[in-house]
Amino acid sequence: MTAILSELRLRRVLLALDVAGAPPAALSYAVTLAARFEADLEAMLLAQAELTRVATLPFATEVSLLAGMERRLDAALMQRSLQGTTARLRALMAELAGPARVRWSLQVAGGPGWETLLAELGEGSLLVRAHHGHHVPAAGAQPHGGVCAVFDESPAGRSALELARSLDTRAVCVPAAGAGLAARLTALRPQTLILPAGFFAQHAPMLRPLLARLGCTLLVVGQERLK
């Protein structure tokens, strides 16, 4: 186990958050991974800048789900709401990361969310993405039978294999090459899916709707940047 962890050489765990925040279990899981690999935890709030920009458009409105009433979006109100979300996330991260002695930070994505995060993913980085209502492994638990890695011949692909085996000795590893990958992942329905960053970026149009259907926790392993 120690040999596998040292080979991964993870320095950064990036946690993708949306404006709804994140379930505490997702934050706890990211903290657990950062502590286990002695990595820094960097959380990024997605779409905050984009929502604020949309609120300034003259036709921007919101509809109350409870009352069914429509009202004009207010940019100042939106900004205050997002600042409140950021403050709550900072407090929760401090509460979880402090006892684990994990160095952490929280920032706002300046551009489109996934594109920003993929650009941030270099060698030694791991992206964690979970959604409200979706499965998140319990902190410190071994997610037996629920880990699947898609691997290729890239260094990130090999790291995806190592990470899967370090998280679960019974992890299922699926080669990226070949047809029927989407069907096989649908049949496996993994609780945690690990992908190399290059593969994710190349096949994002196919993977995004698949991930939405699977409802799994996604781990994306970074790769060495081209010079």
Side-chain angles (χ1 to χ4, degrees), residues 51 57 75 78 81 101 105 169 184 211 222:
L51 279 178
L57 299 176
M78 178 71 71
S81 175
R101 298 183 178 179
S105 63
T169 56
R184 184 165 186 189
L211 292 170

Side-chain angles (χ1 to χ4, degrees), residues 93-114:
M93 290 186 67
E95 178 183 343
L96 294 172
R101 298 183 178 179
V102 170
R103 293 189 302 180
W104 64 273
S105 63
L106 173 64
Q107 58 181 310
V108 177
W114 282 108

Side-chain angles (χ1 to χ4, degrees), residues 152-168:
D152 52 25
E153 295 304 316
S154 69
R158 292 191 289 273
S159 293
L161 276 176
E162 294 169 1
L163 177 60
R165 290 165 179 164
S166 72
L167 294 177
D168 186 352

Side-chain angles (χ1 to χ4, degrees), residues 25-97:
L27 288 169
S28 182
Y29 184 51
V31 168
T32 298
L33 288 173
R36 181 172 182 176
F37 292 99
E38 299 181 350
D40 293 342
L41 174 60
E42 302 177 15
M44 185 172 288
L45 188 59
L46 305 178
Q48 180 167 352
E50 183 66 14
L51 279 178
T52 303
R53 185 192 69 80
V54 169
T56 65
L57 299 176
F59 53 81
T61 59
E62 65 176 341
V63 178
S64 169
L65 294 179
L66 294 177
M69 298 179 62
E70 183 176 304
R71 68 176 181 178
R72 172 88 165 77
L73 277 179
D74 182 86
L77 181 62
M78 178 71 71
Q79 184 62 35
R80 288 195 297 272
S81 175
L82 293 172
Q83 288 173 349
T85 297
T86 303
R88 289 191 295 273
L89 286 171
R90 288 188 185 279
L92 184 55
M93 290 186 67
E95 178 183 343
L96 294 172

Side-chain angles (χ1 to χ4, degrees), residues 168-226:
D168 186 352
T169 56
R170 296 183 294 178
V172 177
C173 299
V174 181
L181 177 61
R184 184 165 186 189
L185 291 177
T186 300
L188 288 170
R189 296 202 65 83
Q191 296 176 337
T192 302
L193 179 61
I194 306 173
L195 300 173
F199 177 82
F200 180 85
Q202 182 179 357
H203 299 280
M206 177 272 289
L207 289 169
R208 285 172 178 163
L210 174 63
L211 292 170
R213 292 196 303 272
L214 291 176
C216 58
T217 297
L218 174 66
L219 305 181
V220 182
V221 181
Q223 61 187 0
E224 184 178 0
R225 293 189 178 93
L226 297 177

